[in-house]
Amino acid sequence: LVWQAKHRGRTAFLGQEEDWRTDGRLAVAEELAKHGHDVQHIRSDGSCEPHVLGMPTPDFLVQEEARLRKLHAQRRAGELGRIEKSAVDRSTEAVARALATEKVQFDIAAELRDAENQ
């Protein structure tokens, strides 16, 4: 991310939440600001808010980071194996059987017209 901002100039990151303080963009903004980048948060009204370094990290981000570190350690230790698909599931017969199964068709427009709320 730092490379992207350094070599390509202005960069925008979109998040799931309107408020950047409750989104993963907080972690990105903190990391960029630590490396000396000017970080501006664009509000829904179009105005910009400068990022203040040292914002507390929300619990959900701390927990997610801990979960990912644990998974990484398990993979390195060989405790977490990769899911292996059976050759039977990938066989020509299995593929042909899946393709030959009759598909259920829906009239989406009729479903939406009949819905009580959309």
Side-chain angles (χ1 to χ4, degrees):
L1 299 175
V2 173
W3 182 91
Q4 176 82 8
K6 181 178 178 182
H7 295 287
R8 296 204 175 163
R10 293 183 179 188
T11 305
F13 297 96
L14 301 178
Q16 292 178 331
E17 302 296 330
E18 183 175 348
D19 185 11
W20 59 270
R21 293 170 195 86
T22 60
D23 198 322
R25 289 172 290 171
L26 173 61
V28 173
E30 281 290 308
E31 197 62 29
L32 289 171
K34 281 181 195 175
H35 286 75
H37 293 277
D38 177 36
V39 178
Q40 299 285 324
H41 299 282
I42 303 171
R43 295 182 178 158
S44 58
D45 64 0
S47 65
C48 290
E49 176 183 349
H51 182 76
V52 179
L53 189 60
M55 296 287 299
T57 305
D59 286 340
F60 78 92
L61 283 176
V62 173
Q63 292 170 357
E64 181 66 10
E65 183 178 6
R67 185 185 73 79
L68 291 173
R69 287 183 188 276
K70 182 179 176 183
L71 280 173
H72 182 65
Q74 287 176 332
R75 278 199 185 102
R76 278 198 327 225
E79 298 171 9
L80 191 63
R82 296 191 182 271
I83 298 173
E84 294 183 21
K85 290 185 176 181
S86 168
V88 173
D89 295 335
R90 296 188 312 258
S91 70
T92 307
E93 292 84 11
V95 172
R97 187 171 41 253
L99 292 174
T101 305
E102 187 173 333
K103 307 293 186 248
V104 178
Q105 294 189 3
F106 293 98
D107 183 357
I108 301 300
E111 293 290 332
L112 287 173
R113 282 191 298 274
D114 295 340
E116 293 182 18
N117 61 24
Q118 296 179 13

